[in-house]
Amino acid sequence: MCGIVGYIGKQEAYPILIRGLQRLEYRGYDSAGIALIHNENLNVYKAKGKVADLVRFAEQQDIHGTIGIAHTRWATHGEPNQVNAHPHYSQSEELALIHNGIIENYAVLKEGLKEQGYTFNSDTDTEVLIQLIEFVKKSNKVDLTKAVQLALNQVVGAYAIAVIEKDQPDTIVAARKGSPLVVGIGEDEFFLASDATPIVEFTNQVVYVGEEEIVTLRRGQELKIRTISDVEKTPEIKKLEMTLTQLEKGGYPHFMIKEIFEQPKTLSDSMRGRVNIEENNITLSGFIDNKEKFLNAKRIIITACGTSWHAGLIGKYAIEEFARIPVEVEYSSEFRYRKPVINKDDIVIPISQSGETADTLAAVELAKSKGAFIFGICNVVGASIPRNTDSGCYTHAGPEIGVASTKAFTAQVTVLTMLALMIGKEKGTLSEEQYLRTVHELGQIPDKIKIILEQNEAIAQFAKTFTYAQNFIYLGRGYNFPVALEGALKLKEISYIHAEGYPAAEMKHGPIALISQEMPVVVIATSAGMYDKVVSNIQEIKARKGKIISVITEGDVVVKNLSDYTISIPDTEECLVPLLAAIPLQLMAYHIAVVKGCDVDQPRNLAKSVTVE
Ligand code: G6P
């Protein structure tokens, strides 16, 4: 939700900031803006829409300057228009601020500022914050860092902010609480961003700004960090593992299709050093380091949002099957507020691609406060959630840029499956024979995905048939039920076609009323996993003239003959079918959205990283 970027150094800031915004555009694309200091002027340029709209406007103006901040917005307070776009000026236009997050007590602060004679142009909470900083600065006669600190002490909410001051062209002040912020350290230059993607092409030395910390970036000086409660901190410099090529489309028309096609590699990366194919063995260091905790756990609670929640459901099936530990899968947004029972011997597993989702982060805090052991499954290294957990496991899917999650999902399922197998083996609740067979099969999954990807063209062809549809139903049972949910989510996210995932047998309790010859029904009917039952469910759809698109196991002619379209996937163990069945559904959603002319990588109203609740 909103991306922020900043630069101070020897280079022209504008191209660095614009490229940074383009990298962060996945976080929101309602409006974009930039502030630069040049020739003693603080110039602010803003545009409704995407970064490209900002570029068209800004390039008519003075875009010089070696210091600047920039923002791409996902609207919370105030509609997405030019006035509400960031940066926001203070009343005197001496300060400019960008913000990612929500200032919850903005209304009270705004009233107080109005009484002091401040006026407001926008509907945003952000403008209140910059006015407050100016008011505090002027009334206390302090420098910008101190003013930011004093102002933030009055603020309730979440933020990552950066502020610049017209008369201080050598300083950027930034701070965070609840929203992410990374500083890149170059030679006599600093970069600032919501994540490392705008920074990686310039330096691999970064500092992840901590909760309630304020950083002061001064030209030619060392990075300074103080907390909001005024404690000085020593910057901890970390090395980035990310590479630039991971952030580019590499010849594909969209990031989403690139990321779908990357899955054979990303799953190998997820398993690298963990699955030993020769010896049919799994070593997950996060598990080994905390083996006793897992073996003694009375219950596991998985907490996540969106696609990560779907991965969590598959994890539940695998952990309960192999490790015989009860697992609850919670929407983080519900879990954090509904006074859940959390015990000291519970293990809480937050799953998050970004590692920044506000609700999941809050769920982690809650579980921690109740003494549970927190084991994170995240993709982005160094993000807030992994930094707040006791232990965990990275998914190693590499940067995922397409807003609709694909490779991160299959990597999450892979890690959860490895975890379930390890606990089961160590607990003795899983037979040696099944363990060996499943680990062997897991090692084959990347090659089997390659076989499915060969059907891309065929899927693109039949996808054209379905652009007329207003609604879709996705059905699956057992491990394939969460796959149905995920397939439906992919379609609605990017093609704006309404789609619902259902357990196939539940269809009779409602959705069957929707079935007619216009209604496409996607059925995951693989031979591993209640095949006969699903075949009966297909018969029920057929009897009502629904259009059947089935995902079947290679060689199955029964379901093929009942279906209008089929996509076949190689056979595998039942618990691994989701890793294969998800692929054709991702491809189908992608191609339907492309034919409909939708913006696949940046679907309307969505953002990849939801850092507001
Ligand atoms: C947003 C994204 C989804 C993602 C969800 C959870 O809604 O658009 O793709 O699944 O957030 O994000 P996380 O980073 O926590 O996995």
Side-chain angles (χ1 to χ4, degrees), residues 1 26 303-310 332 351-358 360-361 377-380 385 400 402-406 408 412 486 489-490 493 603 606-610:
M1 311 261 103
Y26 73 85
T303 181
C305 304
T307 290
S308 299
W309 188 85
H310 295 155
S332 304
I351 307 176
S352 175
Q353 186 287 127
S354 62
E356 298 294 349
T357 302
T360 305
L361 192 53
I377 297 181
C378 294
N379 193 37
V380 176
I385 294 173
E400 190 180 64
V403 165
S405 185
T406 52
Q412 289 165 341
E486 176 58 11
L489 179 64
K490 284 293 84 83
E493 276 179 314
L606 294 180
K608 185 147 192 73
S609 183
V610 182

Short mmCIF file of all heavy atoms in Angstrom, two decimals, residues 1 26 303-310 332 351-358 360-361 377-380 385 400 402-406 408 412 486 489-490 493 603 606-610, ligand 1:
data_model
loop_
_atom_site.label_atom_id
_atom_site.label_comp_id
_atom_site.label_asym_id
_atom_site.label_seq_id
_atom_site.Cartn_x
_atom_site.Cartn_y
_atom_site.Cartn_z
N MET A 1 0.85 -1.19 0.00
CA MET A 1 0.00 0.00 0.00
C MET A 1 0.87 1.22 0.00
O MET A 1 1.49 1.51 1.01
CB MET A 1 -0.81 0.10 1.29
CG MET A 1 -1.51 -1.10 1.70
SD MET A 1 -3.22 -1.11 1.27
CE MET A 1 -3.26 -2.17 -0.11
N TYR A 26 3.83 -1.81 -7.80
CA TYR A 26 2.98 -2.91 -7.37
C TYR A 26 2.29 -2.59 -6.04
O TYR A 26 1.31 -3.21 -5.67
CB TYR A 26 3.81 -4.21 -7.25
CG TYR A 26 4.74 -4.22 -6.06
CD1 TYR A 26 4.28 -4.63 -4.82
CD2 TYR A 26 6.06 -3.82 -6.18
CE1 TYR A 26 5.11 -4.61 -3.71
CE2 TYR A 26 6.89 -3.81 -5.09
CZ TYR A 26 6.41 -4.21 -3.85
OH TYR A 26 7.23 -4.18 -2.76
N THR A 303 -1.73 -18.20 10.43
CA THR A 303 -2.43 -16.92 10.23
C THR A 303 -1.89 -16.25 8.97
O THR A 303 -0.67 -16.20 8.76
CB THR A 303 -2.32 -16.04 11.50
OG1 THR A 303 -3.03 -14.83 11.27
CG2 THR A 303 -0.90 -15.71 11.88
N ALA A 304 -2.78 -15.80 8.12
CA ALA A 304 -2.36 -15.25 6.82
C ALA A 304 -3.53 -14.53 6.16
O ALA A 304 -4.65 -14.54 6.68
CB ALA A 304 -1.87 -16.39 5.92
N CYS A 305 -3.25 -13.91 5.02
CA CYS A 305 -4.29 -13.23 4.24
C CYS A 305 -4.17 -13.68 2.78
O CYS A 305 -3.10 -14.07 2.33
CB CYS A 305 -4.07 -11.71 4.23
SG CYS A 305 -3.99 -10.99 5.86
N GLY A 306 -5.27 -13.56 2.06
CA GLY A 306 -5.28 -13.75 0.60
C GLY A 306 -4.74 -15.10 0.18
O GLY A 306 -5.05 -16.15 0.76
N THR A 307 -3.89 -15.05 -0.82
CA THR A 307 -3.30 -16.28 -1.36
C THR A 307 -2.53 -17.05 -0.29
O THR A 307 -2.55 -18.28 -0.25
CB THR A 307 -2.38 -15.90 -2.54
OG1 THR A 307 -3.21 -15.48 -3.61
CG2 THR A 307 -1.53 -17.06 -3.00
N SER A 308 -1.86 -16.32 0.59
CA SER A 308 -1.08 -16.99 1.64
C SER A 308 -2.00 -17.79 2.56
O SER A 308 -1.61 -18.84 3.09
CB SER A 308 -0.30 -15.96 2.46
OG SER A 308 0.59 -15.28 1.62
N TRP A 309 -3.22 -17.31 2.74
CA TRP A 309 -4.21 -18.05 3.55
C TRP A 309 -4.56 -19.36 2.84
O TRP A 309 -4.71 -20.40 3.47
CB TRP A 309 -5.44 -17.16 3.74
CG TRP A 309 -6.46 -17.69 4.70
CD1 TRP A 309 -6.47 -17.56 6.05
CD2 TRP A 309 -7.64 -18.45 4.36
NE1 TRP A 309 -7.57 -18.18 6.58
CE2 TRP A 309 -8.31 -18.75 5.57
CE3 TRP A 309 -8.18 -18.92 3.18
CZ2 TRP A 309 -9.50 -19.46 5.62
CZ3 TRP A 309 -9.37 -19.63 3.22
CH2 TRP A 309 -10.01 -19.91 4.43
N HIS A 310 -4.68 -19.31 1.53
CA HIS A 310 -4.97 -20.54 0.78
C HIS A 310 -3.83 -21.54 0.94
O HIS A 310 -4.06 -22.74 1.12
CB HIS A 310 -5.20 -20.24 -0.71
CG HIS A 310 -6.42 -19.40 -0.94
ND1 HIS A 310 -6.57 -18.60 -2.05
CD2 HIS A 310 -7.55 -19.24 -0.21
CE1 HIS A 310 -7.74 -18.00 -1.98
NE2 HIS A 310 -8.34 -18.36 -0.88
N SER A 332 -5.81 -13.37 9.24
CA SER A 332 -5.12 -12.52 10.22
C SER A 332 -6.02 -11.40 10.72
O SER A 332 -6.00 -11.05 11.90
CB SER A 332 -3.87 -11.91 9.61
OG SER A 332 -3.03 -12.91 9.12
N ILE A 351 2.05 -16.73 7.57
CA ILE A 351 2.54 -16.94 6.20
C ILE A 351 2.32 -15.64 5.45
O ILE A 351 1.22 -15.09 5.44
CB ILE A 351 1.77 -18.06 5.47
CG1 ILE A 351 1.78 -19.34 6.31
CG2 ILE A 351 2.37 -18.33 4.10
CD1 ILE A 351 0.95 -20.48 5.69
N SER A 352 3.38 -15.15 4.82
CA SER A 352 3.25 -13.88 4.10
C SER A 352 4.33 -13.78 3.01
O SER A 352 5.51 -13.95 3.32
CB SER A 352 3.40 -12.71 5.07
OG SER A 352 3.39 -11.49 4.38
N GLN A 353 3.89 -13.54 1.79
CA GLN A 353 4.86 -13.32 0.72
C GLN A 353 5.71 -12.10 1.06
O GLN A 353 6.92 -12.17 1.11
CB GLN A 353 4.11 -13.13 -0.61
CG GLN A 353 4.97 -13.03 -1.86
CD GLN A 353 5.74 -11.73 -2.02
OE1 GLN A 353 6.96 -11.76 -2.20
NE2 GLN A 353 5.08 -10.61 -1.91
N SER A 354 5.03 -10.97 1.28
CA SER A 354 5.73 -9.70 1.46
C SER A 354 6.42 -9.61 2.81
O SER A 354 7.40 -8.89 2.97
CB SER A 354 4.74 -8.54 1.34
OG SER A 354 3.77 -8.65 2.37
N GLY A 355 5.85 -10.29 3.80
CA GLY A 355 6.35 -10.13 5.17
C GLY A 355 5.97 -8.79 5.76
O GLY A 355 6.50 -8.39 6.80
N GLU A 356 5.05 -8.09 5.13
CA GLU A 356 4.68 -6.74 5.58
C GLU A 356 3.19 -6.57 5.81
O GLU A 356 2.76 -5.49 6.21
CB GLU A 356 5.12 -5.68 4.56
CG GLU A 356 6.61 -5.59 4.30
CD GLU A 356 7.40 -5.12 5.51
OE1 GLU A 356 6.80 -4.65 6.48
OE2 GLU A 356 8.64 -5.27 5.47
N THR A 357 2.38 -7.58 5.51
CA THR A 357 0.93 -7.41 5.61
C THR A 357 0.54 -7.00 7.04
O THR A 357 0.85 -7.71 8.00
CB THR A 357 0.24 -8.72 5.18
OG1 THR A 357 0.67 -8.97 3.85
CG2 THR A 357 -1.27 -8.60 5.22
N ALA A 358 -0.12 -5.85 7.14
CA ALA A 358 -0.35 -5.24 8.46
C ALA A 358 -1.12 -6.18 9.40
O ALA A 358 -0.76 -6.32 10.57
CB ALA A 358 -1.11 -3.93 8.29
N THR A 360 -1.33 -9.45 9.35
CA THR A 360 -0.55 -10.63 9.75
C THR A 360 0.53 -10.22 10.77
O THR A 360 0.78 -10.93 11.74
CB THR A 360 0.06 -11.31 8.50
OG1 THR A 360 -1.01 -11.60 7.61
CG2 THR A 360 0.78 -12.60 8.85
N LEU A 361 1.08 -9.04 10.56
CA LEU A 361 2.07 -8.53 11.51
C LEU A 361 1.41 -8.33 12.88
O LEU A 361 1.98 -8.70 13.92
CB LEU A 361 2.63 -7.20 10.97
CG LEU A 361 3.86 -6.61 11.63
CD1 LEU A 361 4.99 -7.62 11.70
CD2 LEU A 361 4.31 -5.38 10.84
N ILE A 377 6.70 -18.04 7.80
CA ILE A 377 7.01 -18.51 6.44
C ILE A 377 6.83 -17.31 5.52
O ILE A 377 5.71 -16.87 5.27
CB ILE A 377 6.10 -19.69 6.04
CG1 ILE A 377 6.36 -20.88 6.97
CG2 ILE A 377 6.32 -20.08 4.57
CD1 ILE A 377 5.54 -22.12 6.68
N CYS A 378 7.93 -16.74 5.09
CA CYS A 378 7.88 -15.48 4.33
C CYS A 378 8.79 -15.57 3.11
O CYS A 378 9.69 -16.40 3.06
CB CYS A 378 8.35 -14.31 5.20
SG CYS A 378 7.22 -14.01 6.55
N ASN A 379 8.52 -14.68 2.17
CA ASN A 379 9.35 -14.67 0.96
C ASN A 379 10.40 -13.56 1.00
O ASN A 379 11.54 -13.79 0.64
CB ASN A 379 8.45 -14.54 -0.28
CG ASN A 379 9.22 -14.83 -1.56
OD1 ASN A 379 10.08 -15.71 -1.58
ND2 ASN A 379 8.95 -14.08 -2.60
N VAL A 380 9.98 -12.36 1.40
CA VAL A 380 10.91 -11.23 1.33
C VAL A 380 11.86 -11.26 2.54
O VAL A 380 11.42 -11.13 3.68
CB VAL A 380 10.15 -9.88 1.25
CG1 VAL A 380 11.12 -8.71 1.28
CG2 VAL A 380 9.28 -9.84 -0.01
N ILE A 385 7.76 -9.13 9.15
CA ILE A 385 7.27 -10.35 9.81
C ILE A 385 8.43 -11.28 10.16
O ILE A 385 8.58 -11.66 11.33
CB ILE A 385 6.16 -11.03 8.99
CG1 ILE A 385 4.93 -10.10 8.96
CG2 ILE A 385 5.79 -12.40 9.57
CD1 ILE A 385 3.79 -10.53 8.06
N GLU A 400 8.57 -11.24 -6.14
CA GLU A 400 7.34 -11.43 -6.91
C GLU A 400 6.75 -10.04 -7.15
O GLU A 400 6.45 -9.32 -6.20
CB GLU A 400 6.36 -12.31 -6.14
CG GLU A 400 5.17 -12.74 -6.99
CD GLU A 400 4.20 -13.62 -6.21
OE1 GLU A 400 3.61 -13.12 -5.23
OE2 GLU A 400 4.03 -14.78 -6.57
N GLY A 402 4.30 -9.26 -9.96
CA GLY A 402 2.89 -9.29 -10.37
C GLY A 402 2.03 -9.23 -9.12
O GLY A 402 2.32 -9.92 -8.13
N VAL A 403 0.98 -8.41 -9.16
CA VAL A 403 0.17 -8.26 -7.95
C VAL A 403 -0.50 -9.58 -7.59
O VAL A 403 -0.63 -9.93 -6.40
CB VAL A 403 -0.84 -7.09 -8.12
CG1 VAL A 403 -1.92 -7.13 -7.06
CG2 VAL A 403 -0.08 -5.77 -8.04
N ALA A 404 -0.94 -10.35 -8.59
CA ALA A 404 -1.54 -11.65 -8.30
C ALA A 404 -0.43 -12.65 -8.00
O ALA A 404 0.45 -12.89 -8.82
CB ALA A 404 -2.37 -12.12 -9.50
N SER A 405 -0.49 -13.22 -6.82
CA SER A 405 0.59 -14.10 -6.38
C SER A 405 0.54 -15.46 -7.09
O SER A 405 -0.52 -16.07 -7.19
CB SER A 405 0.45 -14.31 -4.87
OG SER A 405 1.52 -15.06 -4.37
N THR A 406 1.66 -15.92 -7.58
CA THR A 406 1.71 -17.23 -8.26
C THR A 406 2.87 -18.06 -7.68
O THR A 406 2.65 -18.99 -6.93
CB THR A 406 1.90 -17.05 -9.78
OG1 THR A 406 3.04 -16.19 -10.02
CG2 THR A 406 0.66 -16.47 -10.43
N ALA A 408 4.97 -17.33 -5.43
CA ALA A 408 5.09 -17.28 -3.97
C ALA A 408 4.17 -18.32 -3.33
O ALA A 408 4.50 -18.95 -2.33
CB ALA A 408 4.76 -15.89 -3.44
N GLN A 412 5.22 -21.36 -0.94
CA GLN A 412 4.69 -21.49 0.43
C GLN A 412 4.19 -22.91 0.67
O GLN A 412 4.45 -23.51 1.71
CB GLN A 412 3.51 -20.51 0.63
CG GLN A 412 3.93 -19.06 0.70
CD GLN A 412 2.76 -18.09 0.52
OE1 GLN A 412 1.71 -18.45 0.01
NE2 GLN A 412 2.95 -16.85 0.94
N GLU A 486 -8.03 -20.77 -4.60
CA GLU A 486 -6.94 -19.97 -5.17
C GLU A 486 -7.18 -19.71 -6.66
O GLU A 486 -6.94 -18.60 -7.16
CB GLU A 486 -5.60 -20.67 -4.91
CG GLU A 486 -4.37 -20.01 -5.51
CD GLU A 486 -4.13 -18.58 -5.06
OE1 GLU A 486 -4.77 -18.10 -4.11
OE2 GLU A 486 -3.31 -17.91 -5.72
N LEU A 489 -9.73 -17.01 -6.90
CA LEU A 489 -9.14 -15.71 -6.52
C LEU A 489 -8.30 -15.14 -7.65
O LEU A 489 -8.40 -13.95 -7.98
CB LEU A 489 -8.29 -15.86 -5.24
CG LEU A 489 -7.59 -14.59 -4.75
CD1 LEU A 489 -8.60 -13.53 -4.34
CD2 LEU A 489 -6.66 -14.89 -3.58
N LYS A 490 -7.50 -16.01 -8.30
CA LYS A 490 -6.66 -15.52 -9.41
C LYS A 490 -7.53 -14.90 -10.48
O LYS A 490 -7.25 -13.83 -10.99
CB LYS A 490 -5.84 -16.65 -10.05
CG LYS A 490 -4.64 -17.16 -9.30
CD LYS A 490 -3.51 -16.20 -9.17
CE LYS A 490 -3.64 -15.27 -8.04
NZ LYS A 490 -3.32 -15.50 -6.72
N GLU A 493 -9.20 -11.55 -9.32
CA GLU A 493 -8.22 -10.48 -9.12
C GLU A 493 -7.85 -9.80 -10.43
O GLU A 493 -7.75 -8.58 -10.49
CB GLU A 493 -6.91 -11.06 -8.55
CG GLU A 493 -6.87 -11.25 -7.07
CD GLU A 493 -5.55 -11.84 -6.62
OE1 GLU A 493 -5.05 -12.81 -7.22
OE2 GLU A 493 -5.00 -11.33 -5.64
N PRO A 603 -3.78 -5.00 -11.35
CA PRO A 603 -5.24 -4.96 -11.43
C PRO A 603 -5.83 -3.83 -10.59
O PRO A 603 -5.24 -3.44 -9.58
CB PRO A 603 -5.65 -6.32 -10.88
CG PRO A 603 -4.46 -6.94 -10.29
CD PRO A 603 -3.25 -6.24 -10.78
N LEU A 606 -6.25 -3.09 -6.41
CA LEU A 606 -5.44 -4.01 -5.58
C LEU A 606 -4.05 -3.44 -5.33
O LEU A 606 -3.61 -2.54 -6.03
CB LEU A 606 -5.29 -5.36 -6.28
CG LEU A 606 -6.56 -6.18 -6.46
CD1 LEU A 606 -6.25 -7.49 -7.15
CD2 LEU A 606 -7.22 -6.44 -5.12
N ALA A 607 -3.40 -4.00 -4.35
CA ALA A 607 -1.98 -3.70 -4.13
C ALA A 607 -1.34 -4.99 -3.65
O ALA A 607 -2.00 -5.85 -3.09
CB ALA A 607 -1.82 -2.63 -3.07
N LYS A 608 -0.08 -5.11 -3.92
CA LYS A 608 0.58 -6.37 -3.59
C LYS A 608 0.88 -6.49 -2.10
O LYS A 608 0.84 -7.57 -1.54
CB LYS A 608 1.89 -6.48 -4.38
CG LYS A 608 2.52 -7.81 -4.17
CD LYS A 608 3.25 -8.29 -5.37
CE LYS A 608 3.63 -9.74 -5.21
NZ LYS A 608 2.48 -10.64 -5.35
N SER A 609 1.20 -5.37 -1.52
CA SER A 609 1.62 -5.41 -0.13
C SER A 609 0.64 -4.56 0.66
O SER A 609 0.60 -3.35 0.49
CB SER A 609 3.04 -4.85 -0.08
OG SER A 609 3.54 -4.93 1.19
N VAL A 610 -0.17 -5.20 1.50
CA VAL A 610 -1.26 -4.48 2.16
C VAL A 610 -0.79 -4.06 3.56
O VAL A 610 -0.98 -4.77 4.53
CB VAL A 610 -2.54 -5.34 2.19
CG1 VAL A 610 -3.69 -4.58 2.83
CG2 VAL A 610 -2.92 -5.71 0.76
C1 G6P B 1 -2.62 -8.80 -1.11
C2 G6P B 1 -2.03 -9.37 -2.38
C3 G6P B 1 -2.23 -10.88 -2.40
C4 G6P B 1 -1.63 -11.52 -1.15
C5 G6P B 1 -2.18 -10.88 0.12
C6 G6P B 1 -1.38 -11.32 1.34
O1 G6P B 1 -4.00 -8.93 -1.13
O2 G6P B 1 -2.63 -8.78 -3.50
O3 G6P B 1 -1.60 -11.42 -3.54
O4 G6P B 1 -1.90 -12.88 -1.14
O5 G6P B 1 -2.08 -9.46 0.06
O6 G6P B 1 -0.08 -10.83 1.21
P1 G6P B 1 1.20 -11.45 1.87
O7 G6P B 1 2.33 -10.60 1.40
O8 G6P B 1 1.00 -11.35 3.35
O9 G6P B 1 1.30 -12.86 1.43
#
